[in-house]
Amino acid sequence: MKKLAAFSLATVLCLAQSGARSGIDRSMFDTSCKPCDDFWRYATGAWVDQHPIPADRPRWGKFDELAEANLERLRNILEAAANDRNAAGDRGRVGDYYASCMDTAAIEAAGVKPLQPMLDRIAAIRARADLVALLVSLELEDGLAPARIIDVSDPQNADQVIVGVTAGGLSLPDRDYYFRDDTRSKTIRDEFALHVEKLLQLLGDPRADSSAKAVMEFETTLANATLSNVARRDPYNRIHKTNFAGLALLTPAYDWAAAFDLLKVPRTVAVNVSEPEFLKAFNRQLQDAPVETWKAWLRWRVARARAQYLPKAFYDEWFHFERTVLSGVSQQSPRWKVCVASADGTLGEALGRLYVEKHFPAEARRRMQQMVENLRAALSEELKSAEWLTPETRANALRKLATFDPRIGFPVKWRDYSAVQVTRGNYLASREAAILEDRKHAAAKIGKKLDRTEWSMTPPTVNAYYTSSRNSITFPAGILQPPFFDMDADDAVNYGAIGVVIGHEMGHGFDDQGSKFDADGNLKNWWTDQDRTEFDARAACIVKQFDSIDVGDGMRHTGKLVTGEAMGDLGGATLAYKAYRKSLNGREAPVLDGLTGDQRFFLAYARVWAAAQKPEAVRRQLATDPHPLAKYRTNATLQNMPEFHKAFTCKQGDAMVRPPAEQCRLW
Ligand SMILES: [Zn+2]
């Protein structure tokens, strides 16, 4: 960490214990706004005003600032590897990958040639049998076929990896994009049709406009059979266990036997179909949609999936729709940022390992472990004292809490990329080689015991996550830095920032989704009916709160889409606050920079959510993202917390105080 360089570790620890630095930057405050009117604005307003959204970003906030600093660090690592002739193994691999991405001259010179073999395969389709054979072969290639085989935990026996069959094939961000009839949604669909046409033109399609119409109709038919994002939140809507014969019966027009054989998956392994209605629609399309429609759709999907790795004309068109139309980003990032993100997405743990060696001190991991245990203790006390829980449910909840597996910084076992053949001077081929190995790697897990050490975020990522089937909470090294985690600041700001993140991830174990999985990660009801009714009432309070907020222009959150994340925030802030108070051992925290410990805690929480967003990005988030907007992650959460009201002496009637009867409470 940057700040460490100036001090020895011992000095830093000593400073932290004496609480010499508040860790709060008053210049972020908008003091023209009262904390009890709009706390988010008060705590972050000046910073937001002074940091306009860069033209190459859909939003800009403290999260993004940190992510940007990590990009710079990764760039240095990648450039050094690319320029080192002696770099070998994974370091050589990421260096070559980055160099191939940066070599835009080679990409331009190759034109669409790297795509030609695939286009030829599509053009050669004559009969439906040819079509099915091509779709099966795409099982080894990323994101193209409408239904794909993936590795999933058996919902009833999480330690066992079985076959999952997904619903895909949509190119817009969510199924509702195909149906909403407001003006903005219609414009997006018009832009989408134009985008399909343009990419197909670039591929040399002589009938690009009629192909684009066919693509739109084809995807709308699939979208019609796809679950909404709210319906998908209920795990019971996504669990349909069957076996190979059941799968074949659901989709007789597809050759599952060939697909299983290609991926070397035994037909004896159990199967979970996430959306049976979708598979039926897929089957109908296989039987009824004209072969020419399928061919147009496949050309489009190939162009879409690879546009970012092809000459500039493709990249520009991809960028225009995906980033400008959908998210309001007006300018492309410099090439190096594109290539760093691509390396992180493709060879993430190889690059992440180099990042961790350089930028993640062992001491940070130890301090985090301590905080996780303090939060665990706070939640344990809450569960023990929650009067609404019956003893039976309480015992199950405590067992779940005790088995939470915290994973901090980086995985204990690194992924092996030795089979990935990266070729300098051929970016697309390098990327496809990585995807191919990734698909083989995923398929090889099916039918075996779950490897609980695997991660699904890369170490430099500024984020954290909970996995219900593993009952694990994961904090990548990337987030364990200021403003989330400041090794030499007073405890209040660390509990208010990373402490809330820890509580948030733990809270996911008990949110609308996570509460349906038990301590072993199995989908199993461990609640009595009475407790479940009480829990549902608490969740409904949050749904109602978010449904009622006008976020501007008459736009609203969908309460049922954001409940889980909002429950995580409220539960997380409540627990982190309790853990903070507990850490003081009954003493009052010192006043630093004129702020009490409690005030610093809540200011640190709000600071994490300092951010501004392009209007298009706001719309997209409201339509697709289970996370509420930054402002409401702060304000809606704190409106429910008497601990906050007390810290800033907010009174009933203030905007930051919900009427007591309406205050939502989890613990
Ligand atoms: Zn979350």
Side-chain angles (χ1 to χ4, degrees):
M1 216 173 290
K2 233 171 11 191
K3 285 197 175 64
L4 267 180
F7 305 102
S8 77
L9 206 54
T11 321
V12 172
L13 279 178
C14 180
L15 277 175
Q17 276 156 6
S18 67
R21 259 187 74 237
S22 77
I24 293 290
D25 175 5
R26 277 178 173 278
S27 72
M28 287 182 71
F29 297 179
D30 174 3
T31 48
S32 72
C33 181
K34 292 198 184 73
C36 299
D37 288 346
D38 178 346
F39 188 66
W40 178 76
R41 178 72 209 172
Y42 167 76
T44 71
W47 188 89
V48 171
D49 291 349
Q50 287 155 17
H51 295 81
I53 307 169
D56 68 342
R57 293 277 189 162
R59 64 164 220 182
W60 190 249
K62 280 287 186 182
F63 257 88
D64 308 282
E65 204 176 51
L66 180 51
E68 184 84 1
N70 280 347
L71 277 184
E72 293 273 5
R73 290 165 170 182
L74 293 173
R75 177 194 196 178
N76 290 336
I77 291 169
L78 286 166
E79 282 182 351
N83 294 330
D84 180 357
R85 285 172 186 281
N86 297 320
D90 275 351
R91 187 159 174 270
R93 199 166 280 114
V94 295
D96 286 343
Y97 184 87
Y98 181 75
S100 74
C101 176
M102 290 299 289
D103 189 354
T104 47
I107 295 169
E108 290 299 326
V112 290
K113 230 177 5 209
L115 223 55
Q116 206 51 51
M118 175 61 84
L119 295 174
D120 292 344
R121 279 160 69 196
I122 298 170
I125 295 174
R126 296 279 174 269
R128 286 184 193 271
D130 306 332
L131 166 66
V132 170
L134 180 65
L135 287 174
V136 166
S137 75
L138 294 180
E139 287 283 349
L140 268 180
E141 295 161 40
D142 189 57
L144 293 177
R148 284 173 67 214
I149 292 173
I150 59 165
D151 56 305
V152 293
S153 268
D154 184 336
Q156 272 92 36
N157 177 17
D159 264 327
Q160 202 56 40
V161 181
I162 62 167
V163 173
V165 177
T166 61
L170 304 187
S171 309
L172 284 168
D174 185 66
R175 58 97 66 195
D176 289 349
Y177 276 71
Y178 293 84
F179 305 112
R180 267 197 228 99
D181 55 9
D182 58 283
T183 321
R184 174 74 194 150
S185 300
K186 283 180 186 157
T187 308
I188 289 179
R189 282 198 293 277
D190 291 346
E191 290 272 6
F192 175 63
L194 217 57
H195 170 56
V196 176
E197 189 181 331
K198 282 191 185 156
L199 271 188
L200 289 177
Q201 268 167 5
L202 286 171
L203 283 187
D205 188 333
R207 293 183 306 274
D209 66 334
S210 61
S211 294
K213 281 195 193 79
V215 164
M216 191 72 196
E217 266 173 49
F218 181 87
E219 293 200 2
T220 306
T221 306
L222 292 182
N224 203 25
T226 303
L227 286 180
S228 73
N229 51 25
V230 170
R232 224 178 305 130
R233 281 198 69 77
D234 185 346
Y236 286 97
N237 287 338
R238 288 179 279 119
I239 305 293
H240 309 276
K241 280 261 298 271
T242 181
N243 54 19
F244 178 81
L247 177 65
L249 215 58
L250 202 56
T251 325
Y254 192 59
D255 191 352
W256 287 111
F260 274 53
D261 289 351
L262 180 68
L263 295 177
K264 299 193 173 72
V265 172
R267 290 180 215 174
T268 47
V269 178
V271 175
N272 183 64
V273 173
S274 63
E275 300 188 31
E277 288 309 311
F278 176 85
L279 279 196
K280 288 182 201 161
F282 171 48
N283 195 65
R284 283 194 297 274
Q285 293 290 77
L286 282 175
Q287 289 171 332
D288 303 340
V291 169
E292 285 311 311
T293 297
W294 271 101
K295 288 166 78 169
W297 183 77
L298 281 166
R299 281 196 302 275
W300 148 246
R301 291 289 276 182
V302 164
R304 175 184 185 261
R306 286 141 173 92
Q308 293 178 71
Y309 314 98
L310 291 171
K312 190 172 178 312
F314 284 84
Y315 188 92
D316 287 351
E317 181 50 37
W318 171 86
F319 182 87
H320 168 72
F321 183 73
E322 292 290 335
R323 307 281 288 156
T324 307
V325 174
L326 291 177
S327 295
V329 181
S330 56
Q331 195 180 299
Q332 292 177 14
S333 293
R335 185 71 186 172
W336 71 264
K337 284 193 200 175
V338 172
C339 295
V340 169
S342 179
D344 178 54
T346 308
L347 297 166
E349 287 194 14
L351 177 57
R353 188 174 188 168
L354 299 170
Y355 171 89
V356 162
E357 282 166 9
K358 234 178 147 166
H359 299 291
F360 187 61
E363 178 56 17
R365 196 176 199 174
R366 198 193 63 75
R367 290 272 297 270
M368 263 301 278
Q369 276 161 344
Q370 186 59 52
M371 285 198 75
V372 168
E373 290 318 315
N374 291 353
L375 265 289
R376 198 199 301 258
L379 182 49
S380 170
E381 275 183 22
E382 287 309 304
L383 291 170
K384 282 176 190 154
S385 64
E387 284 169 10
W388 59 280
L389 288 177
T390 58
E392 187 189 342
T393 306
R394 187 191 322 272
N396 287 330
L398 285 168
R399 196 167 85 79
K400 181 159 185 176
L401 176 67
T403 52
F404 265 146
D405 174 20
R407 310 176 326 159
I408 297 161
F410 53 91
V412 291
K413 200 173 78 193
W414 293 99
R415 171 89 179 265
D416 176 8
Y417 292 97
S418 51
V420 179
Q421 297 291 326
V422 172
T423 324
R424 251 189 209 231
N426 195 339
Y427 181 40
L428 187 67
S430 299
R431 189 184 143 73
E432 298 201 332
I435 290 173
L436 182 70
E437 288 310 320
D438 197 53
R439 289 291 290 151
K440 285 186 191 164
H441 176 76
K445 296 180 211 169
I446 297 172
K448 306 208 175 86
K449 201 171 178 300
L450 177 71
D451 180 351
R452 287 186 176 266
T453 66
E454 286 193 326
W455 282 37
S456 51
M457 272 183 194
T458 66
T461 307
V462 183
N463 213 330
Y465 67 101
Y466 171 73
T467 312
S468 50
S469 58
R470 296 165 197 259
N471 200 28
S472 62
I473 44 178
T474 307
F475 307 94
I479 198 173
L480 303 177
Q481 309 175 65
F484 292 93
F485 182 60
D486 186 348
M487 292 243 286
D488 63 354
D490 170 73
D491 272 351
V493 293
N494 283 324
Y495 277 96
I498 198 72
V500 179
V501 176
I502 297 168
H504 173 104
E505 301 309 336
M506 286 184 168
H508 277 318
F510 300 92
D511 73 8
D512 60 327
Q513 292 186 318
S515 63
K516 290 172 181 161
F517 292 84
D518 70 8
D520 302 314
N522 296 326
L523 186 66
K524 189 175 156 195
N525 181 29
W526 49 271
W527 298 71
T528 64
D529 289 351
Q530 181 193 333
D531 292 324
R532 182 43 88 173
T533 307
E534 180 65 35
F535 175 88
D536 288 344
R538 283 159 193 260
C541 178
I542 304 259
V543 172
K544 196 175 156 204
Q545 182 183 17
F546 276 88
D547 276 339
S548 71
I549 304 169
D550 181 343
V551 306
D553 292 337
M555 292 190 296
R556 286 171 197 281
H557 293 98
T558 303
K560 282 194 170 154
L561 179 60
V562 300
T563 350
E565 294 301 333
M567 287 175 100
D569 285 342
L570 179 56
T574 312
L575 290 176
Y577 177 80
K578 290 192 193 234
Y580 170 57
R581 294 301 304 187
K582 215 170 145 225
S583 76
L584 294 171
N585 281 321
R587 286 174 285 113
E588 232 3 90
V591 171
L592 300 176
D593 297 337
L595 298 162
T596 67
D598 283 12
Q599 287 173 335
R600 299 195 297 277
F601 173 92
F602 291 110
L603 286 164
Y605 176 60
R607 175 169 60 187
V608 162
W609 301 116
Q613 225 167 332
K614 295 267 172 68
E616 292 87 345
V618 168
R619 277 179 185 278
R620 183 175 182 162
Q621 185 170 342
L622 290 172
T624 60
D625 197 327
H627 299 88
L629 300 173
K631 174 177 176 180
Y632 303 96
R633 294 192 78 165
T634 314
N635 285 359
T637 302
L638 299 181
Q639 281 166 347
N640 290 317
M641 288 185 68
E643 300 90 335
F644 163 76
H645 305 148
K646 197 169 153 227
F648 285 89
T649 51
C650 301
K651 298 188 180 52
Q652 269 193 55
D654 289 339
M656 285 303 300
V657 182
R658 261 167 93 73
E662 288 174 31
Q663 281 176 21
C664 306
R665 199 80 202 163
L666 298 175
W667 308 110

